[in-house]
Amino acid sequence: MTTTDHDPAIPPDNRPIRTFHPRRGRMSGRQTDALDRLWPRYGLDVPDGPVDLVDLFGRRAPVVLEIGSGMGDSTATMAAADPDRDYLAVEVHTPGIANLLDLVDRAGLGNVRVALGDALDLVRGLPEGALDAVHIFFPDPWPKARHHKRRIIQPAHVALLRSRLTPGGTLHCATDWAEYADAMRQTLDADPELVDAYGGFGPRPAHRPVTKFERRAITAGRPVADLIYRRR
Ligand SMILES: C[S@@+](CC[C@H](N)C(=O)[O-])C[C@H]1O[C@@H](n2cnc3c(N)ncnc32)[C@H](O)[C@@H]1O
């Protein structure tokens, strides 16, 4: 990937329904520089086929997948505090990818890789049981009923994500959209292979950093729900 390549956030016609808004977004000089300099070391385009995590990270360690990493603050902070696990962030928004590459480089993190493309395509290329955790923080809520089919948390996606978790591995979602939180809970409760690790909406876990989306929600008075489920 270079700064002049096709933007995967703008799909050609007749592709499946996507969970993201196609948007280009401008990059700052620092982000352009980070992308050009650091992509070869930490980046990968979401491939059509299998992903070899041991080859990607250069070691065999538990892997956390962060879907929709945004500007990358959560990934970089959590990876820095958790050096024994590897963090794979996946995002379709190129400026966010570039920002995370910059954060990773500045902090000298060896346990982060950054994938550009659709997370669901990436997950399909992972072996069953490959992941220790999946993080989905503040996914797009798609509030209109006719757009609910675009939500990442829906039964077919949850079945796919859960199949890639190791037994005992966790799926951690956070949202500030109350109706989506309830819909998430229903969908996750309905999956027979998942167990609610909290037994209801839990307290905000201290290890999940506060991002711009959460600060905005707090300012607007919207409560944030964390849902943490474990694969049986
Ligand atoms: C509302 S933002 C939240 C960003 C970040 N998690 C945070 O808390 O600041 C949701 C992000 O998910 C990304 N996204 C949505 N669907 C995706 C998909 N299928 N694959 C990769 N990224 C996706 C969007 O591009 C967007 O940046």
Side-chain angles (χ1 to χ4, degrees):
M1 148 90 201
T2 70
T3 46
T4 54
D5 282 347
H6 168 71
D7 187 336
I10 315 291
D13 289 342
N14 73 30
R15 287 251 211 99
I17 293 165
R18 297 297 193 191
T19 62
F20 47 86
H21 289 283
R23 61 192 167 123
R24 283 191 190 279
R26 273 204 317 235
M27 291 210 284
S28 67
R30 207 175 87 188
Q31 288 169 347
T32 304
D33 171 63
L35 195 61
D36 287 344
R37 218 164 31 83
L38 303 170
W39 179 259
R41 188 152 21 132
Y42 302 108
L44 70 148
D45 284 304
V46 168
D48 286 338
V51 180
D52 183 335
L53 293 171
V54 173
D55 186 51
L56 182 64
F57 286 98
R59 68 172 182 173
R60 191 177 296 278
V63 175
V64 179
L65 176 69
E66 183 168 348
I67 293 182
S69 45
M71 297 310 278
D73 312 272
S74 295
T75 317
T77 305
M78 293 181 87
D82 191 15
D84 293 337
R85 293 199 294 176
D86 288 330
Y87 280 71
L88 176 55
V90 55
E91 178 51 74
V92 287
H93 189 229
T94 312
I97 291 277
N99 201 64
L100 175 53
L101 290 171
D102 191 38
L103 294 173
V104 166
D105 190 51
R106 280 165 189 264
L109 301 176
N111 61 336
V112 179
R113 298 292 181 272
V114 184
L116 176 67
D118 190 327
L120 294 169
D121 292 338
L122 176 73
V123 171
R124 287 185 193 102
L126 294 173
E128 295 239 343
L131 300 172
D132 198 51
V134 175
H135 294 165
I136 309 181
F137 299 153
F138 302 92
D140 299 300
W142 294 105
K144 293 182 180 152
R146 70 173 189 280
H147 289 152
H148 286 182
K149 57 183 181 287
R150 292 185 174 275
R151 286 178 166 175
I152 189 121
I153 297 299
Q154 54 176 290
H157 297 164
V158 168
L160 171 69
L161 295 171
R162 176 257 293 155
S163 72
R164 270 43 176 189
L165 282 173
T166 189
T170 54
L171 173 58
H172 180 179
C173 307
T175 183
D176 60 329
W177 201 261
E179 179 270 327
Y180 194 15
D182 289 338
M184 280 182 182
R185 168 145 324 285
Q186 261 187 19
T187 303
L188 297 170
D189 279 345
D191 188 303
E193 291 299 313
L194 290 175
V195 184
D196 181 356
Y198 269 157
F201 294 111
R204 180 179 185 288
H207 61 263
R208 184 174 59 70
V210 179
T211 64
K212 182 183 78 176
F213 283 93
E214 185 158 11
R215 274 192 293 276
R216 247 191 234 159
I218 294 165
T219 307
R222 288 193 303 275
V224 170
D226 280 271
L227 299 97
I228 303 183
Y229 283 68
R230 217 173 277 292
R231 182 177 182 182
R232 287 183 202 278

